[in-house]
Each structure stands twice: as structure tokens, then as C-alpha cells.
Coordinates of all heavy atoms in Angstrom, one line a residue:
M1 N 0.8 -1.2 0.0 CA 0.0 0.0 0.0 C 0.9 1.2 0.0 O 1.7 1.4 0.9 CB -0.9 0.0 1.2 CG -1.7 1.2 1.4 SD -2.7 1.2 2.9 CE -1.6 1.4 4.2
K2 N 0.7 2.1 -0.9 CA 1.4 3.4 -1.0 C 0.4 4.5 -0.7 O -0.8 4.4 -1.1 CB 2.1 3.6 -2.3 CG 3.2 2.6 -2.6 CD 3.8 2.9 -4.0 CE 4.8 1.9 -4.4 NZ 5.3 2.1 -5.7
S3 N 0.8 5.5 -0.1 CA 0.0 6.7 0.1 C 0.8 7.9 -0.1 O 2.0 7.9 0.1 CB -0.7 6.7 1.4 OG 0.2 6.8 2.5
S4 N 0.1 9.0 -0.5 CA 0.8 10.2 -0.6 C 0.0 11.3 0.0 O -1.2 11.4 -0.2 CB 1.1 10.6 -2.1 OG -0.1 10.8 -2.8
S5 N 0.6 12.2 0.8 CA -0.1 13.3 1.5 C 0.9 14.2 2.0 O 2.1 13.9 2.1 CB -1.0 12.7 2.6 OG -0.3 12.3 3.6
S6 N 0.4 15.4 2.4 CA 1.2 16.3 3.1 C 0.8 16.3 4.6 O -0.2 15.7 4.9 CB 1.1 17.7 2.5 OG -0.2 18.2 2.8
D7 N 1.5 17.1 5.4 CA 1.2 17.1 6.9 C -0.2 17.7 7.1 O -0.9 17.3 8.0 CB 2.2 17.9 7.6 CG 3.5 17.2 7.7 OD1 3.6 15.9 7.6 OD2 4.6 17.8 7.9
T8 N -0.6 18.6 6.3 CA -1.9 19.2 6.5 C -3.0 18.5 5.7 O -4.2 18.8 6.0 CB -1.9 20.7 6.0 OG1 -1.5 20.8 4.7 CG2 -0.9 21.5 6.9
D9 N -2.7 17.7 4.8 CA -3.7 17.0 4.0 C -3.9 15.6 4.5 O -3.0 14.9 4.7 CB -3.2 17.0 2.6 CG -4.3 16.5 1.6 OD1 -5.5 16.3 2.1 OD2 -4.0 16.3 0.4
K10 N -5.1 15.2 4.8 CA -5.4 13.9 5.4 C -5.9 12.9 4.3 O -6.3 11.8 4.6 CB -6.5 14.0 6.5 CG -6.0 14.9 7.7 CD -7.1 15.0 8.7 CE -6.5 15.8 9.8 NZ -7.5 16.0 10.9
K11 N -5.8 13.3 3.1 CA -6.3 12.5 2.0 C -5.1 11.7 1.5 O -4.0 12.2 1.3 CB -6.9 13.3 0.8 CG -8.2 13.9 1.3 CD -8.8 14.7 0.1 CE -10.1 15.3 0.6 NZ -10.8 16.1 -0.4
H12 N -5.3 10.4 1.2 CA -4.3 9.5 0.8 C -4.7 8.7 -0.4 O -5.8 8.2 -0.5 CB -3.9 8.4 1.9 CG -3.5 9.1 3.2 ND1 -2.2 9.4 3.5 CD2 -4.2 9.5 4.3 CE1 -2.1 9.9 4.7 NE2 -3.3 10.0 5.2
V13 N -3.8 8.6 -1.4 CA -4.1 7.8 -2.6 C -3.6 6.4 -2.3 O -2.4 6.2 -1.9 CB -3.4 8.4 -3.8 CG1 -3.6 7.5 -5.0 CG2 -3.9 9.8 -4.1
I14 N -4.5 5.4 -2.4 CA -4.1 4.0 -2.1 C -3.8 3.3 -3.3 O -4.6 3.2 -4.3 CB -5.3 3.4 -1.3 CG1 -5.8 4.2 -0.1 CG2 -5.0 2.0 -0.9 CD1 -4.7 4.5 0.9
D15 N -2.6 2.7 -3.3 CA -2.1 1.9 -4.4 C -2.5 0.5 -4.2 O -1.9 -0.3 -3.5 CB -0.6 2.0 -4.5 CG 0.0 1.3 -5.7 OD1 -0.8 1.1 -6.7 OD2 1.2 0.9 -5.7
I16 N -3.7 0.1 -4.8 CA -4.2 -1.2 -4.7 C -4.7 -1.7 -6.1 O -5.0 -0.8 -7.0 CB -5.4 -1.3 -3.7 CG1 -5.8 -2.7 -3.4 CG2 -6.5 -0.5 -4.2 CD1 -6.6 -2.9 -2.2
S17 N -4.7 -2.9 -6.4 CA -5.0 -3.4 -7.7 C -6.4 -2.9 -8.1 O -7.3 -2.7 -7.3 CB -5.0 -4.9 -7.8 OG -6.1 -5.5 -7.2
W18 N -6.6 -2.7 -9.4 CA -7.8 -2.2 -9.9 C -9.0 -3.2 -9.7 O -10.1 -2.8 -9.5 CB -7.7 -1.9 -11.4 CG -6.8 -0.7 -11.7 CD1 -5.5 -0.7 -12.0 CD2 -7.2 0.7 -11.6 NE1 -5.0 0.6 -12.1 CE2 -6.1 1.5 -11.9 CE3 -8.4 1.4 -11.2 CZ2 -6.0 2.9 -11.8 CZ3 -8.4 2.7 -11.2 CH2 -7.2 3.5 -11.5
A19 N -8.6 -4.5 -9.6 CA -9.6 -5.5 -9.4 C -10.2 -5.4 -8.0 O -11.4 -5.7 -7.8 CB -9.0 -6.9 -9.7
D20 N -9.3 -5.1 -7.0 CA -9.8 -5.0 -5.6 C -10.3 -3.7 -5.2 O -10.9 -3.5 -4.1 CB -8.6 -5.4 -4.7 CG -8.2 -6.8 -4.9 OD1 -9.0 -7.7 -5.3 OD2 -7.0 -7.1 -4.7
R21 N -10.0 -2.7 -6.0 CA -10.3 -1.3 -5.6 C -11.7 -1.0 -5.2 O -12.0 -0.4 -4.2 CB -9.9 -0.4 -6.8 CG -10.0 1.1 -6.5 CD -9.4 1.8 -7.7 NE -10.2 1.5 -8.9 CZ -11.0 2.3 -9.6 NH1 -11.1 3.5 -9.1 NH2 -11.6 2.0 -10.6
W22 N -12.7 -1.6 -6.0 CA -14.1 -1.3 -5.7 C -14.6 -2.0 -4.4 O -15.3 -1.4 -3.6 CB -14.9 -1.8 -6.9 CG -16.4 -1.5 -6.7 CD1 -17.4 -2.4 -6.5 CD2 -17.0 -0.2 -6.7 NE1 -18.6 -1.8 -6.4 CE2 -18.4 -0.5 -6.5 CE3 -16.6 1.1 -6.8 CZ2 -19.3 0.6 -6.4 CZ3 -17.5 2.1 -6.7 CH2 -18.9 1.8 -6.5
Q23 N -14.1 -3.2 -4.2 CA -14.5 -3.9 -2.9 C -13.9 -3.2 -1.7 O -14.6 -3.1 -0.7 CB -14.0 -5.4 -3.0 CG -14.8 -6.2 -3.9 CD -14.2 -7.7 -3.9 OE1 -13.1 -7.9 -4.4 NE2 -15.0 -8.6 -3.4
V24 N -12.7 -2.7 -1.8 CA -12.1 -2.0 -0.7 C -12.9 -0.7 -0.4 O -13.2 -0.4 0.7 CB -10.6 -1.6 -1.0 CG1 -10.0 -0.6 0.0 CG2 -9.7 -2.9 -1.0
Y25 N -13.2 0.0 -1.5 CA -14.0 1.2 -1.4 C -15.4 0.9 -0.7 O -15.7 1.6 0.2 CB -14.3 1.8 -2.8 CG -15.4 2.8 -2.9 CD1 -15.1 4.1 -2.4 CD2 -16.6 2.5 -3.3 CE1 -16.1 5.1 -2.5 CE2 -17.6 3.5 -3.4 CZ -17.3 4.8 -2.9 OH -18.3 5.7 -3.0
Q26 N -16.0 -0.2 -1.1 CA -17.3 -0.5 -0.5 C -17.2 -0.8 1.0 O -18.0 -0.3 1.8 CB -18.0 -1.7 -1.2 CG -18.5 -1.3 -2.6 CD -19.2 -2.4 -3.3 OE1 -18.7 -3.6 -3.2 NE2 -20.3 -2.2 -3.9
R27 N -16.1 -1.5 1.4 CA -15.9 -1.8 2.8 C -15.6 -0.6 3.6 O -16.1 -0.4 4.7 CB -14.8 -2.9 3.0 CG -14.6 -3.3 4.4 CD -15.8 -4.0 5.0 NE -15.5 -4.2 6.4 CZ -16.4 -4.0 7.4 NH1 -17.6 -3.4 7.1 NH2 -16.1 -4.2 8.6
L28 N -14.8 0.3 3.1 CA -14.5 1.5 3.8 C -15.7 2.4 3.9 O -15.9 3.0 5.0 CB -13.4 2.3 3.0 CG -12.0 1.7 3.0 CD1 -11.1 2.5 2.1 CD2 -11.4 1.5 4.3
Q29 N -16.6 2.4 3.0 CA -17.9 3.1 3.1 C -18.7 2.5 4.2 O -19.3 3.3 5.0 CB -18.7 3.0 1.8 CG -18.1 3.8 0.6 CD -18.5 5.3 0.7 OE1 -19.6 5.6 0.8 NE2 -17.4 6.1 0.7
E30 N -18.7 1.2 4.4 CA -19.4 0.5 5.5 C -18.9 1.0 6.8 O -19.6 1.0 7.8 CB -19.4 -1.0 5.3 CG -20.1 -1.5 4.1 CD -19.8 -3.0 3.9 OE1 -19.0 -3.6 4.5 OE2 -20.5 -3.5 2.9
L31 N -17.6 1.2 6.9 CA -16.9 1.6 8.1 C -17.0 3.1 8.3 O -16.4 3.7 9.3 CB -15.5 1.2 8.1 CG -15.2 -0.3 8.1 CD1 -13.8 -0.6 7.8 CD2 -15.7 -0.9 9.4
D32 N -17.7 3.8 7.5 CA -17.9 5.3 7.5 C -16.5 6.1 7.4 O -16.3 7.1 8.1 CB -18.6 5.7 8.8 CG -20.1 5.3 8.8 OD1 -20.7 5.3 7.8 OD2 -20.6 5.0 9.9
I33 N -15.7 5.5 6.6 CA -14.4 6.2 6.3 C -14.6 6.9 5.0 O -15.0 6.3 4.0 CB -13.2 5.2 6.2 CG1 -13.0 4.5 7.6 CG2 -12.0 5.8 5.7 CD1 -12.0 3.4 7.6
I34 N -14.3 8.2 5.0 CA -14.5 9.0 3.8 C -13.5 8.6 2.7 O -12.3 8.5 2.9 CB -14.3 10.5 4.1 CG1 -15.3 10.9 5.2 CG2 -14.4 11.4 2.9 CD1 -15.0 12.3 5.8
C35 N -14.1 8.2 1.5 CA -13.2 7.8 0.4 C -13.9 8.0 -0.9 O -15.1 8.2 -0.9 CB -12.9 6.3 0.5 SG -14.3 5.2 0.7
V36 N -13.1 8.1 -2.0 CA -13.6 8.4 -3.3 C -13.0 7.4 -4.2 O -11.8 7.1 -4.2 CB -13.2 9.8 -3.8 CG1 -13.7 10.1 -5.2 CG2 -13.8 10.8 -2.8
C37 N -13.9 6.8 -5.1 CA -13.5 5.8 -6.1 C -14.1 6.1 -7.4 O -15.2 5.6 -7.7 CB -13.8 4.4 -5.6 SG -13.3 3.0 -6.6
E38 N -13.5 6.9 -8.2 CA -14.0 7.4 -9.5 C -13.5 6.5 -10.6 O -12.5 5.9 -10.5 CB -13.7 8.8 -9.7 CG -14.4 9.7 -8.7 CD -14.0 11.2 -8.9 OE1 -13.1 11.5 -9.7 OE2 -14.6 12.0 -8.2
T39 N -14.2 6.5 -11.7 CA -13.8 5.7 -12.8 C -12.4 6.0 -13.3 O -12.1 7.2 -13.5 CB -14.9 5.9 -14.0 OG1 -16.2 5.6 -13.5 CG2 -14.5 5.0 -15.2
N40 N -11.6 5.0 -13.5 CA -10.2 5.2 -14.0 C -9.4 6.1 -13.1 O -8.4 6.7 -13.6 CB -10.2 5.7 -15.5 CG -10.8 4.7 -16.4 OD1 -10.7 3.5 -16.2 ND2 -11.6 5.1 -17.4
Q41 N -9.7 6.2 -11.9 CA -8.9 7.0 -10.9 C -8.5 6.1 -9.7 O -9.3 5.2 -9.4 CB -9.7 8.2 -10.4 CG -10.1 9.2 -11.5 CD -8.8 9.8 -12.1 OE1 -7.9 10.2 -11.4 NE2 -8.8 9.9 -13.4
P42 N -7.4 6.4 -9.0 CA -7.1 5.6 -7.9 C -8.1 5.9 -6.7 O -8.8 6.9 -6.7 CB -5.7 6.1 -7.5 CG -5.6 7.4 -8.1 CD -6.5 7.4 -9.3
L43 N -8.1 5.0 -5.8 CA -8.9 5.1 -4.6 C -8.2 6.2 -3.7 O -7.0 6.1 -3.4 CB -8.9 3.8 -3.8 CG -9.6 3.7 -2.5 CD1 -11.1 4.1 -2.6 CD2 -9.5 2.3 -1.9
T44 N -9.0 7.1 -3.2 CA -8.6 8.2 -2.3 C -9.3 8.0 -1.0 O -10.5 7.9 -1.0 CB -8.8 9.6 -2.9 OG1 -8.2 9.6 -4.2 CG2 -8.2 10.6 -2.1
V45 N -8.6 8.1 0.1 CA -9.1 7.9 1.4 C -8.7 9.0 2.3 O -7.6 9.4 2.3 CB -8.6 6.5 2.0 CG1 -9.2 6.3 3.4 CG2 -9.0 5.4 1.1
E46 N -9.7 9.5 3.1 CA -9.4 10.5 4.1 C -9.3 9.8 5.5 O -10.2 9.2 6.0 CB -10.5 11.5 4.1 CG -10.2 12.7 5.0 CD -11.2 13.8 4.8 OE1 -11.7 14.1 3.7 OE2 -11.5 14.5 5.8
I47 N -8.1 10.0 6.1 CA -7.8 9.4 7.4 C -7.8 10.5 8.5 O -7.0 11.4 8.4 CB -6.5 8.6 7.4 CG1 -6.5 7.5 6.4 CG2 -6.2 8.1 8.8 CD1 -7.6 6.5 6.6
N48 N -8.8 10.5 9.4 CA -8.9 11.6 10.4 C -8.5 11.2 11.8 O -8.5 12.1 12.7 CB -10.4 12.1 10.4 CG -10.8 12.7 9.1 OD1 -10.0 13.5 8.5 ND2 -11.9 12.3 8.5
N49 N -8.3 9.9 12.0 CA -7.9 9.5 13.4 C -7.2 8.1 13.3 O -7.2 7.5 12.3 CB -9.2 9.4 14.3 CG -10.2 8.5 13.7 OD1 -10.0 7.3 13.5 ND2 -11.4 9.1 13.4
P50 N -6.6 7.7 14.4 CA -5.9 6.4 14.4 C -6.8 5.2 14.2 O -6.3 4.3 13.5 CB -5.3 6.4 15.9 CG -5.2 7.8 16.3 CD -6.4 8.5 15.7
T51 N -8.0 5.3 14.6 CA -8.9 4.2 14.4 C -9.2 4.0 12.9 O -9.1 2.8 12.4 CB -10.3 4.4 15.1 OG1 -10.0 4.5 16.5 CG2 -11.2 3.2 14.9
A52 N -9.4 5.1 12.2 CA -9.6 5.0 10.7 C -8.3 4.4 10.0 O -8.4 3.6 9.1 CB -9.9 6.3 10.2
A53 N -7.1 4.8 10.5 CA -5.9 4.3 9.9 C -5.8 2.8 10.1 O -5.4 2.1 9.2 CB -4.7 5.0 10.6
I54 N -6.1 2.3 11.3 CA -6.0 0.9 11.6 C -7.1 0.1 10.8 O -6.8 -0.9 10.2 CB -6.2 0.6 13.1 CG1 -5.0 1.1 13.9 CG2 -6.4 -0.9 13.4 CD1 -5.2 1.2 15.4
Q55 N -8.3 0.7 10.7 CA -9.3 0.0 9.9 C -8.9 0.0 8.4 O -9.1 -1.0 7.7 CB -10.6 0.8 10.0 CG -11.3 0.6 11.3 CD -12.5 1.4 11.5 OE1 -12.6 2.6 11.1 NE2 -13.5 0.8 12.1
L56 N -8.3 1.0 7.9 CA -7.8 1.0 6.5 C -6.8 0.0 6.3 O -6.8 -0.8 5.4 CB -7.2 2.4 6.1 CG -6.5 2.5 4.8 CD1 -7.5 2.2 3.6 CD2 -5.9 3.8 4.6
W57 N -5.8 -0.1 7.2 CA -4.8 -1.1 7.2 C -5.4 -2.5 7.2 O -5.0 -3.4 6.4 CB -3.8 -1.0 8.4 CG -2.8 -2.1 8.4 CD1 -1.6 -2.1 7.7 CD2 -2.9 -3.3 9.1 NE1 -1.0 -3.3 8.0 CE2 -1.7 -4.1 8.9 CE3 -3.9 -3.8 10.0 CZ2 -1.5 -5.3 9.4 CZ3 -3.6 -5.1 10.6 CH2 -2.5 -5.8 10.3
S58 N -6.4 -2.8 8.0 CA -7.0 -4.1 8.1 C -7.7 -4.4 6.8 O -7.6 -5.6 6.3 CB -8.0 -4.1 9.3 OG -8.7 -5.3 9.4
V59 N -8.4 -3.5 6.3 CA -9.2 -3.8 5.0 C -8.2 -4.1 3.9 O -8.4 -5.0 3.1 CB -10.1 -2.6 4.6 CG1 -10.7 -2.7 3.2 CG2 -11.2 -2.4 5.6
I60 N -7.1 -3.3 3.8 CA -6.1 -3.5 2.8 C -5.5 -4.9 2.9 O -5.3 -5.6 1.9 CB -5.0 -2.4 2.8 CG1 -5.6 -1.0 2.5 CG2 -3.9 -2.7 1.8 CD1 -6.2 -0.9 1.1
Q61 N -5.2 -5.3 4.2 CA -4.6 -6.6 4.4 C -5.5 -7.7 3.9 O -5.1 -8.8 3.4 CB -4.4 -6.8 5.9 CG -3.2 -6.0 6.5 CD -1.9 -6.4 5.8 OE1 -1.5 -7.5 5.8 NE2 -1.3 -5.4 5.2
Q62 N -6.8 -7.6 4.1 CA -7.8 -8.6 3.6 C -7.6 -8.9 2.1 O -7.9 -10.0 1.7 CB -9.2 -8.2 3.9 CG -9.6 -8.2 5.4 CD -11.0 -7.6 5.6 OE1 -11.6 -7.0 4.7 NE2 -11.4 -7.7 6.8
F63 N -7.2 -7.9 1.4 CA -7.1 -8.0 -0.1 C -5.7 -8.2 -0.6 O -5.5 -8.7 -1.7 CB -7.8 -6.8 -0.8 CG -9.2 -6.8 -0.6 CD1 -9.8 -6.1 0.5 CD2 -10.1 -7.4 -1.5 CE1 -11.2 -6.0 0.6 CE2 -11.4 -7.4 -1.3 CZ -12.0 -6.7 -0.2
T64 N -4.7 -7.9 0.2 CA -3.3 -8.0 -0.3 C -2.5 -9.1 0.4 O -1.5 -9.5 -0.2 CB -2.6 -6.7 -0.2 OG1 -2.6 -6.3 1.2 CG2 -3.3 -5.6 -1.0
A65 N -2.8 -9.5 1.6 CA -2.0 -10.4 2.3 C -2.3 -11.9 1.8 O -3.4 -12.1 1.4 CB -2.3 -10.4 3.8
S66 N -1.3 -12.7 1.9 CA -1.5 -14.1 1.5 C -2.4 -14.8 2.5 O -2.5 -14.3 3.7 CB -0.2 -14.8 1.4 OG 0.3 -15.0 2.8
R67 N -3.0 -15.9 2.1 CA -3.9 -16.7 3.0 C -3.1 -17.1 4.2 O -3.6 -17.0 5.4 CB -4.4 -17.9 2.3 CG -5.4 -18.7 3.1 CD -6.0 -19.8 2.2 NE -7.1 -20.4 2.9 CZ -7.1 -21.4 3.8 NH1 -5.9 -21.8 4.1 NH2 -8.1 -21.9 4.3
Q68 N -1.8 -17.5 4.1 CA -1.0 -18.0 5.2 C -0.7 -16.8 6.2 O -0.8 -17.0 7.4 CB 0.3 -18.6 4.7 CG 1.1 -19.3 5.8 CD 0.3 -20.4 6.4 OE1 -0.4 -21.2 5.7 NE2 0.3 -20.5 7.7
D69 N -0.5 -15.6 5.7 CA -0.3 -14.5 6.5 C -1.6 -14.2 7.3 O -1.5 -13.8 8.5 CB 0.1 -13.2 5.7 CG 1.5 -13.3 5.2 OD1 2.3 -14.1 5.7 OD2 1.9 -12.5 4.3
L70 N -2.7 -14.2 6.7 CA -4.0 -14.0 7.4 C -4.2 -15.0 8.5 O -4.6 -14.7 9.6 CB -5.1 -14.0 6.4 CG -5.1 -12.8 5.4 CD1 -6.2 -13.0 4.4 CD2 -5.2 -11.5 6.1
I71 N -3.9 -16.3 8.2 CA -4.1 -17.3 9.2 C -3.1 -17.1 10.4 O -3.5 -17.2 11.5 CB -3.8 -18.7 8.6 CG1 -5.0 -19.1 7.6 CG2 -3.6 -19.8 9.6 CD1 -4.7 -20.3 6.7
G72 N -1.9 -16.7 10.1 CA -0.9 -16.4 11.1 C -1.3 -15.3 12.0 O -1.2 -15.3 13.2
N73 N -1.9 -14.2 11.4 CA -2.4 -13.1 12.2 C -3.5 -13.5 13.2 O -3.6 -13.1 14.3 CB -3.0 -12.0 11.3 CG -1.9 -11.2 10.6 OD1 -0.7 -11.3 11.0 ND2 -2.2 -10.6 9.5
I74 N -4.5 -14.3 12.7 CA -5.5 -14.8 13.5 C -5.0 -15.7 14.7 O -5.4 -15.6 15.8 CB -6.6 -15.6 12.7 CG1 -7.3 -14.7 11.8 CG2 -7.5 -16.4 13.6 CD1 -8.2 -15.3 10.8
E75 N -4.0 -16.6 14.3 CA -3.4 -17.4 15.4 C -2.7 -16.6 16.4 O -2.8 -16.9 17.6 CB -2.5 -18.4 14.7 CG -3.2 -19.5 13.9 CD -2.3 -20.4 13.2 OE1 -1.1 -20.1 13.0 OE2 -2.7 -21.5 12.7
N76 N -2.0 -15.6 16.0 CA -1.3 -14.7 16.9 C -2.3 -14.0 17.9 O -2.1 -13.8 19.1 CB -0.5 -13.6 16.2 CG 0.8 -14.3 15.6 OD1 1.2 -15.3 16.1 ND2 1.3 -13.6 14.6
C77 N -3.4 -13.5 17.3 CA -4.5 -12.9 18.1 C -5.0 -13.8 19.2 O -5.1 -13.5 20.4 CB -5.6 -12.4 17.3 SG -5.2 -11.0 16.2
W78 N -5.3 -15.1 18.8 CA -5.8 -16.1 19.7 C -4.7 -16.3 20.8 O -5.0 -16.5 22.0 CB -6.2 -17.3 19.0 CG -7.5 -17.2 18.4 CD1 -7.8 -17.0 17.1 CD2 -8.8 -17.3 19.1 NE1 -9.2 -16.9 16.9 CE2 -9.8 -17.1 18.1 CE3 -9.2 -17.5 20.4 CZ2 -11.2 -17.1 18.4 CZ3 -10.5 -17.5 20.7 CH2 -11.5 -17.3 19.8
R79 N -3.5 -16.5 20.4 CA -2.4 -16.8 21.3 C -2.3 -15.6 22.4 O -2.2 -15.9 23.6 CB -1.1 -16.9 20.6 CG -0.2 -18.1 21.1 CD 1.0 -18.3 20.2 NE 0.5 -18.8 18.9 CZ 1.0 -18.4 17.8 NH1 2.0 -17.7 17.7 NH2 0.5 -18.8 16.6
C80 N -2.3 -14.4 21.9 CA -2.2 -13.3 22.8 C -3.3 -13.2 23.8 O -3.2 -12.9 25.0 CB -2.1 -12.0 22.0 SG -0.6 -11.7 21.1
R81 N -4.5 -13.5 23.3 CA -5.7 -13.4 24.1 C -5.7 -14.4 25.2 O -6.0 -14.1 26.4 CB -6.9 -13.6 23.2 CG -8.2 -13.5 24.0 CD -9.4 -13.7 23.1 NE -10.6 -13.8 23.9 CZ -11.6 -12.9 23.8 NH1 -11.5 -11.9 23.0 NH2 -12.7 -13.1 24.6
Y82 N -5.3 -15.6 24.9 CA -5.3 -16.7 25.9 C -4.1 -16.9 26.7 O -4.0 -17.6 27.7 CB -5.8 -18.0 25.3 CG -7.2 -17.9 24.9 CD1 -7.6 -17.8 23.5 CD2 -8.2 -17.9 25.8 CE1 -8.9 -17.6 23.2 CE2 -9.6 -17.8 25.5 CZ -9.9 -17.6 24.2 OH -11.2 -17.5 23.8
Q83 N -3.0 -16.1 26.4 CA -1.8 -16.2 27.3 C -2.0 -15.5 28.6 O -1.3 -15.8 29.6 CB -0.6 -15.6 26.5 CG 0.0 -16.5 25.5 CD 1.2 -15.8 24.9 OE1 1.4 -14.6 24.9 NE2 2.1 -16.6 24.3
R84 N -3.0 -14.6 28.6 CA -3.2 -13.8 29.8 C -3.9 -14.7 30.9 O -3.9 -14.4 32.1 CB -4.2 -12.6 29.5 CG -3.4 -11.6 28.7 CD -4.3 -10.4 28.6 NE -5.0 -10.5 27.3 CZ -6.1 -9.9 27.0 NH1 -6.7 -9.1 27.9 NH2 -6.7 -10.0 25.8
F85 N -4.5 -15.8 30.5 CA -5.2 -16.6 31.5 C -4.4 -17.7 32.1 O -3.5 -18.2 31.7 CB -6.5 -17.2 30.8 CG -7.4 -16.2 30.4 CD1 -7.7 -16.0 29.0 CD2 -8.1 -15.4 31.3 CE1 -8.6 -15.0 28.6 CE2 -9.0 -14.4 30.9 CZ -9.2 -14.2 29.5

């Protein structure tokens, strides 16, 4: 994922495959993250807080990470959760 912005600009251009772009856009809309996905244009996302940044990262991971990486992430979450007990 590549993004470009200045310190005062919270809009980021997301470098994601054209095939996944629309699905990522729809999921970000469901999460109430401001984004624009126009025909033949890259996906642009506005990040206003840390939660939105983490949600964006998570959505991008769903479409770009390998199946094995996703499985590893889930296993790590379970391990961390149950190590406390």
C-alpha cells in the first residue's frame, strides 16, 4: 500500500489493484471512512484518526495479504488473548 499526502492533508491515494479497488471502497464506506473511487482513478481515502488508519490497514490486508499471513495473524491474536489466562 502506498499513500501520498502532506502534513496538512489527510487524503491518501491508495495503491491497490484495480480488481480489488471497488471492494475496498465499499468496505471503507461501510466503516464510515471518507473515500472516493471514481472511474479510471485511484482510490482516495481520508484518514482523520488512528482508528480509521487501523481500519484502512485491516481492509487492505484482507485483499493483499496471503492466506497464510492472514491465518498467522488470527493465530497470533488467539495466542495473545489466551496467554493472559
Side-chain angles (χ1 to χ4, degrees):
M1 172 181 73
K2 292 181 184 175
S3 66
S4 65
S5 69
S6 68
D7 291 336
T8 58
D9 189 7
K10 297 179 181 181
K11 293 183 181 177
H12 301 271
V13 175
I14 306 303
D15 183 23
I16 190 164
S17 77
W18 292 97
D20 294 332
R21 187 173 60 106
W22 182 248
Q23 287 180 292
V24 169
Y25 167 77
Q26 288 181 319
R27 181 62 184 133
L28 294 175
Q29 289 282 304
E30 291 169 357
L31 294 169
D32 292 325
I33 295 175
I34 300 168
C35 54
V36 177
C37 184
E38 296 177 352
T39 305
N40 296 323
Q41 297 296 316
L43 175 63
T44 304
V45 180
E46 189 172 320
I47 301 299
N48 296 313
N49 57 61
T51 301
I54 293 168
Q55 288 176 320
L56 172 62
W57 176 84
S58 178
V59 171
I60 297 297
Q61 288 299 302
Q62 291 174 349
F63 290 92
T64 61
S66 70
R67 185 175 191 276
Q68 192 59 45
D69 287 343
L70 294 174
I71 290 169
N73 288 341
I74 291 171
E75 289 173 346
N76 288 336
C77 288
W78 279 102
R79 220 172 298 140
C80 290
R81 179 181 175 116
Y82 289 106
Q83 280 182 339
R84 290 185 267 161
F85 299 112

